[in-house]
mmCIF file of all heavy atoms in Angstrom:
data_model
loop_
_atom_site.group_PDB
_atom_site.id
_atom_site.type_symbol
_atom_site.label_atom_id
_atom_site.label_comp_id
_atom_site.label_asym_id
_atom_site.label_seq_id
_atom_site.Cartn_x
_atom_site.Cartn_y
_atom_site.Cartn_z
ATOM 1 N N ASP A 433 -16.539 -67.879 -102.093
ATOM 2 C CA ASP A 433 -15.336 -68.689 -102.290
ATOM 3 C C ASP A 433 -15.169 -69.341 -103.589
ATOM 4 O O ASP A 433 -14.082 -69.540 -104.108
ATOM 5 C CB ASP A 433 -15.318 -69.861 -101.154
ATOM 6 C CG ASP A 433 -15.094 -69.260 -99.728
ATOM 7 O OD1 ASP A 433 -14.649 -68.032 -99.684
ATOM 8 O OD2 ASP A 433 -15.281 -69.910 -98.760
ATOM 9 N N LEU A 434 -16.314 -69.737 -104.233
ATOM 10 C CA LEU A 434 -16.276 -70.310 -105.498
ATOM 11 C C LEU A 434 -15.679 -69.261 -106.555
ATOM 12 O O LEU A 434 -14.873 -69.587 -107.380
ATOM 13 C CB LEU A 434 -17.708 -70.616 -105.981
ATOM 14 C CG LEU A 434 -17.943 -71.000 -107.431
ATOM 15 C CD1 LEU A 434 -17.132 -72.227 -107.807
ATOM 16 C CD2 LEU A 434 -19.419 -71.112 -107.774
ATOM 17 N N CYS A 435 -16.235 -67.984 -106.442
ATOM 18 C CA CYS A 435 -15.694 -66.966 -107.370
ATOM 19 C C CYS A 435 -14.235 -66.677 -107.140
ATOM 20 O O CYS A 435 -13.468 -66.548 -108.140
ATOM 21 C CB CYS A 435 -16.476 -65.708 -107.253
ATOM 22 S SG CYS A 435 -18.231 -65.894 -107.868
ATOM 23 N N HIS A 436 -13.815 -66.632 -105.854
ATOM 24 C CA HIS A 436 -12.369 -66.333 -105.657
ATOM 25 C C HIS A 436 -11.545 -67.475 -106.155
ATOM 26 O O HIS A 436 -10.484 -67.167 -106.735
ATOM 27 C CB HIS A 436 -12.179 -66.189 -104.114
ATOM 28 C CG HIS A 436 -12.760 -64.947 -103.584
ATOM 29 N ND1 HIS A 436 -12.795 -64.600 -102.251
ATOM 30 C CD2 HIS A 436 -13.146 -63.814 -104.213
ATOM 31 C CE1 HIS A 436 -13.327 -63.412 -102.049
ATOM 32 N NE2 HIS A 436 -13.544 -62.906 -103.233
ATOM 33 N N ALA A 437 -11.936 -68.734 -106.008
ATOM 34 C CA ALA A 437 -11.169 -69.831 -106.513
ATOM 35 C C ALA A 437 -11.141 -69.789 -108.003
ATOM 36 O O ALA A 437 -10.041 -70.085 -108.623
ATOM 37 C CB ALA A 437 -11.814 -71.185 -106.037
ATOM 38 N N MET A 438 -12.163 -69.486 -108.678
ATOM 39 C CA MET A 438 -12.207 -69.376 -110.146
ATOM 40 C C MET A 438 -11.286 -68.301 -110.598
ATOM 41 O O MET A 438 -10.508 -68.440 -111.596
ATOM 42 C CB MET A 438 -13.638 -69.184 -110.650
ATOM 43 C CG MET A 438 -14.507 -70.371 -110.539
ATOM 44 S SD MET A 438 -16.188 -70.086 -111.152
ATOM 45 C CE MET A 438 -15.893 -69.673 -112.869
ATOM 46 N N GLN A 439 -11.332 -67.110 -109.920
ATOM 47 C CA GLN A 439 -10.453 -66.044 -110.366
ATOM 48 C C GLN A 439 -9.034 -66.371 -110.273
ATOM 49 O O GLN A 439 -8.176 -65.935 -111.068
ATOM 50 C CB GLN A 439 -10.804 -64.832 -109.472
ATOM 51 C CG GLN A 439 -12.221 -64.221 -109.671
ATOM 52 C CD GLN A 439 -12.655 -63.309 -108.621
ATOM 53 O OE1 GLN A 439 -11.870 -62.818 -107.820
ATOM 54 N NE2 GLN A 439 -13.972 -63.156 -108.415
ATOM 55 N N GLU A 440 -8.665 -67.122 -109.197
ATOM 56 C CA GLU A 440 -7.224 -67.390 -108.969
ATOM 57 C C GLU A 440 -6.718 -68.613 -109.703
ATOM 58 O O GLU A 440 -5.602 -68.626 -110.141
ATOM 59 C CB GLU A 440 -7.023 -67.569 -107.487
ATOM 60 C CG GLU A 440 -5.581 -67.730 -107.095
ATOM 61 C CD GLU A 440 -5.362 -67.688 -105.562
ATOM 62 O OE1 GLU A 440 -6.341 -67.578 -104.828
ATOM 63 O OE2 GLU A 440 -4.128 -67.816 -105.126
ATOM 64 N N TYR A 441 -7.550 -69.659 -109.818
ATOM 65 C CA TYR A 441 -7.071 -70.913 -110.358
ATOM 66 C C TYR A 441 -7.800 -71.402 -111.585
ATOM 67 O O TYR A 441 -7.388 -72.330 -112.275
ATOM 68 C CB TYR A 441 -7.172 -72.000 -109.307
ATOM 69 C CG TYR A 441 -6.375 -71.748 -108.030
ATOM 70 C CD1 TYR A 441 -7.086 -71.354 -106.896
ATOM 71 C CD2 TYR A 441 -5.064 -71.866 -107.968
ATOM 72 C CE1 TYR A 441 -6.386 -71.141 -105.751
ATOM 73 C CE2 TYR A 441 -4.340 -71.680 -106.809
ATOM 74 C CZ TYR A 441 -5.018 -71.262 -105.728
ATOM 75 O OH TYR A 441 -4.264 -71.056 -104.532
ATOM 76 N N GLY A 442 -8.859 -70.655 -112.000
ATOM 77 C CA GLY A 442 -9.663 -71.148 -113.137
ATOM 78 C C GLY A 442 -8.947 -71.312 -114.426
ATOM 79 O O GLY A 442 -9.337 -72.166 -115.263
ATOM 80 N N HIS A 443 -7.923 -70.539 -114.621
ATOM 81 C CA HIS A 443 -7.256 -70.540 -115.912
ATOM 82 C C HIS A 443 -6.036 -71.649 -115.946
ATOM 83 O O HIS A 443 -5.488 -71.884 -116.966
ATOM 84 C CB HIS A 443 -6.582 -69.171 -116.207
ATOM 85 C CG HIS A 443 -5.750 -68.670 -115.238
ATOM 86 N ND1 HIS A 443 -6.042 -68.483 -113.962
ATOM 87 C CD2 HIS A 443 -4.340 -68.329 -115.388
ATOM 88 C CE1 HIS A 443 -4.908 -68.006 -113.271
ATOM 89 N NE2 HIS A 443 -3.914 -67.873 -114.162
ATOM 90 N N ILE A 444 -5.813 -72.161 -114.742
ATOM 91 C CA ILE A 444 -4.687 -73.148 -114.718
ATOM 92 C C ILE A 444 -5.089 -74.522 -114.155
ATOM 93 O O ILE A 444 -4.302 -75.477 -114.340
ATOM 94 C CB ILE A 444 -3.496 -72.610 -113.810
ATOM 95 C CG1 ILE A 444 -3.983 -72.316 -112.419
ATOM 96 C CG2 ILE A 444 -2.870 -71.412 -114.444
ATOM 97 C CD1 ILE A 444 -2.860 -71.913 -111.435
ATOM 98 N N LEU A 445 -6.269 -74.649 -113.554
ATOM 99 C CA LEU A 445 -6.709 -75.879 -113.020
ATOM 100 C C LEU A 445 -8.033 -76.312 -113.578
ATOM 101 O O LEU A 445 -8.874 -75.376 -113.885
ATOM 102 C CB LEU A 445 -6.790 -75.869 -111.494
ATOM 103 C CG LEU A 445 -5.492 -75.599 -110.679
ATOM 104 C CD1 LEU A 445 -5.864 -75.531 -109.243
ATOM 105 C CD2 LEU A 445 -4.460 -76.657 -110.988
ATOM 106 N N PRO A 446 -8.342 -77.574 -113.777
ATOM 107 C CA PRO A 446 -9.668 -78.001 -114.251
ATOM 108 C C PRO A 446 -10.733 -77.641 -113.179
ATOM 109 O O PRO A 446 -10.395 -77.401 -112.020
ATOM 110 C CB PRO A 446 -9.493 -79.514 -114.397
ATOM 111 C CG PRO A 446 -8.098 -79.751 -114.603
ATOM 112 C CD PRO A 446 -7.397 -78.718 -113.775
#
Side-chain angles (χ1 to χ4, degrees):
D433 289 348
L434 169 67
C435 290
H436 287 169
M438 288 180 63
Q439 292 162 22
E440 186 171 359
Y441 301 105
H443 62 299
I444 57 176
L445 298 178

